[in-house]
Amino acid sequence: MKKRFLFPTLLALAGSSALADKVVNIGFSGPLSGGAAFYGKDVQSGIDMAIAELNRTGVTVKGEKVTFKLVALDDRYLPNETATNVKRLTSQGIDVVFVPHAGGILTVQPMTTRDPEFLLVAYSSEPKILDARNPLTFMLPPRYDNYLQPFAATQMKAFGKRLGLLGTNSAYGKQWTDAISDEWKKQGGTVLANNSVDYNTTVDYSSAVTKALADKPDVLFIGGPSQPTALVVKAAREQGFKGGFIVMDQAKFEQMDQVVPRNYLDGSVGVLPTKEFPGTQVFVTLYQRLYKKVPTSEAALNYMGMNIIAKAMELAGTTDNPEAIRAQLDAAAKALPQNKTVFKLYGVTDKGHVDAQFLVASVKGGQYTRLRLIKTFK
């Protein structure tokens, strides 16, 4: 376990104010600027909301009242900057760090078990995160390979067998592109040219869409942060594309339909909006009151994750032992009511993965049709 050092001034303050709450800093490294800034801020808002509630209601760890504070650093969606940020955070004695993108997570995951150790809260559906079997990783969303079969089968049946590729070219996007391509071929379809672009920096998607449509696809695979994904849809529809979309799980329908008309999304498959899940109404109402916008799973799952972390600290009797906190995640998840976990939650697996219910959906006539129930465990 890592050692803790207190400056003399802090020791003096502690002695003169014995009743003061212990401050527990929680780290965050994610995109807070650039094309993925909305995504990163959605994640941050869920953590902030949970922390505000926890501080208001009070958390006691081993008889000591604690107050949480989020220390958020911008990594611009760049894995090398994630690593720099995590080193900075852990050097300040932070034992829990949230990272919301696969490239950053996979870069810093090996650092978790070095000195200083820390618990990595991973918000990405990349299967490699779990495959690493890292003992100090806590992964929140479902693995994206749960989506491949129903997405491909639904769209191939509805529109045809020719798939165009127009996803983001981030590390996560490339993995998704490879996976959906393999599944499409497995189901007897034809995969066309890969016209992936950088959703974090691209402003005009017209030329990329034109190249993709030149191959006459029946279905387009798209996705990255929600706002640029919606611009890809806009460009495709305005260029006359009548086919379907397979929307990567990072992009959310409830944000895309604020950028383009809902009818542009007809024929799409993706993740059911958070507000459409049963039992999420309390969270949705509170979030909208605070942030004046519709919450996505970015906010909801990270709100859940922070609540589980706080409860695990209570059960473990420590705020600074990542291994002990990790060992109590399953018990903590099972002890929380759904208004704190948002989604129907079964626990946390021995691999450190949230085991919960999620739904995939298609858009037809401007309405969401549920396709399949997915449990995160796999």
Side-chain angles (χ1 to χ4, degrees):
M1 183 184 296
K2 57 187 160 187
K3 297 179 180 179
R4 294 279 185 238
F5 297 95
L6 291 175
F7 292 106
T9 52
L10 292 180
L11 286 169
L13 286 171
S16 63
S17 183
L19 297 179
D21 294 353
K22 175 182 180 180
V23 177
V24 177
N25 289 325
I26 302 294
F28 170 87
S29 177
L32 299 175
S33 62
F38 287 109
Y39 169 75
K41 290 175 181 177
D42 283 340
V43 172
Q44 183 183 358
S45 69
I47 306 169
D48 278 332
M49 180 176 169
I51 285 176
E53 290 181 2
L54 289 164
N55 289 343
R56 187 164 57 249
T57 58
V59 175
T60 301
V61 178
K62 205 173 182 179
E64 184 177 23
K65 188 176 179 182
V66 302
T67 297
F68 295 102
K69 178 182 177 183
L70 185 66
V71 181
L73 300 178
D74 182 15
D75 62 21
R76 300 184 298 159
Y77 217 73
L78 299 173
N80 63 313
E81 294 198 19
T82 309
T84 299
N85 287 347
V86 168
K87 289 176 183 177
R88 177 180 170 187
L89 292 166
T90 56
S91 71
Q92 296 173 3
I94 292 177
D95 299 281
V96 177
V97 180
F98 285 73
V99 178
H101 54 99
I105 293 164
L106 293 172
T107 298
V108 303
Q109 201 172 29
M111 297 164 55
T112 60
T113 55
R114 301 173 191 165
D115 189 12
E117 291 183 343
F118 67 96
L119 180 61
L120 172 63
V121 186
Y123 184 76
S124 171
S125 59
E126 168 58 63
K128 289 182 178 179
I129 296 167
L130 288 178
D131 293 343
R133 294 187 173 275
N134 180 278
L136 288 175
T137 296
F138 176 31
M139 178 170 159
L140 302 178
R143 297 166 55 122
Y144 69 66
D145 48 6
N146 285 298
Y147 301 121
L148 301 175
Q149 191 281 329
F151 281 8
T154 299
Q155 297 303 73
M156 197 177 294
K157 180 179 180 180
F159 295 99
K161 293 190 173 184
R162 295 172 63 82
L163 178 68
L165 304 174
L166 196 51
T168 185
N169 63 4
S170 67
Y172 179 65
K174 290 174 182 176
Q175 293 293 335
W176 240 108
T177 297
D178 290 344
I180 193 64
S181 297
D182 290 344
E183 181 63 31
W184 194 264
K185 292 174 186 176
K186 179 181 176 182
Q187 295 191 29
T190 300
V191 176
L192 307 173
N194 185 352
N195 291 284
S196 298
V197 293
D198 187 347
Y199 280 41
N200 196 41
T201 59
T202 303
V203 177
D204 185 355
Y205 294 89
S206 300
S207 60
V209 169
T210 299
K211 290 179 183 177
L213 296 185
D215 290 333
K216 301 188 182 305
D218 300 310
V219 179
L220 283 176
F221 166 69
I222 62 174
S226 299
Q227 290 76 14
T229 302
L231 296 179
V232 175
V233 171
K234 182 175 186 289
R237 293 304 191 208
E238 291 180 351
Q239 291 186 36
F241 180 61
K242 304 294 185 184
F245 295 104
I246 292 176
V247 181
M248 184 196 302
D249 60 339
Q250 185 180 4
K252 302 301 186 294
F253 288 142
E254 61 265 49
Q255 290 182 322
M256 293 171 66
D257 68 12
Q258 296 177 34
V259 180
V260 297
R262 176 75 66 84
N263 66 300
Y264 276 28
L265 301 177
D266 278 359
S268 299
V269 293
V271 179
L272 185 72
T274 297
K275 65 180 180 179
E276 302 288 332
F277 280 82
T280 62
Q281 289 74 23
V282 171
F283 171 78
V284 169
T285 299
L286 291 173
Y287 185 91
Q288 287 180 306
R289 187 182 302 161
L290 286 170
Y291 297 99
K292 313 303 180 187
K293 60 182 179 179
V294 176
T296 64
S297 58
E298 277 74 46
L301 283 171
N302 284 280
Y303 171 89
M304 173 193 72
M306 184 60 221
N307 276 298
I308 294 174
I309 290 292
K311 189 65 177 179
M313 288 178 174
E314 285 187 349
L315 295 176
T318 179
T319 61
D320 58 12
N321 185 332
E323 292 180 0
I325 297 166
R326 167 68 177 77
Q328 292 296 328
L329 291 177
D330 182 50
K334 290 174 178 175
L336 290 172
Q338 188 172 341
N339 68 322
K340 297 299 182 184
T341 63
V342 187
F343 302 99
K344 187 173 182 180
L345 187 59
Y346 302 104
V348 176
T349 72
D350 58 359
K351 292 183 179 179
H353 192 199
V354 166
D355 187 12
Q357 283 188 354
F358 288 89
L359 293 164
V360 296
S362 63
V363 185
K364 296 179 181 179
Q367 300 298 315
Y368 299 108
T369 301
R370 298 178 186 182
L371 298 177
R372 179 174 168 182
L373 174 68
I374 289 177
K375 285 185 67 185
T376 63
F377 177 76
K378 185 171 179 178

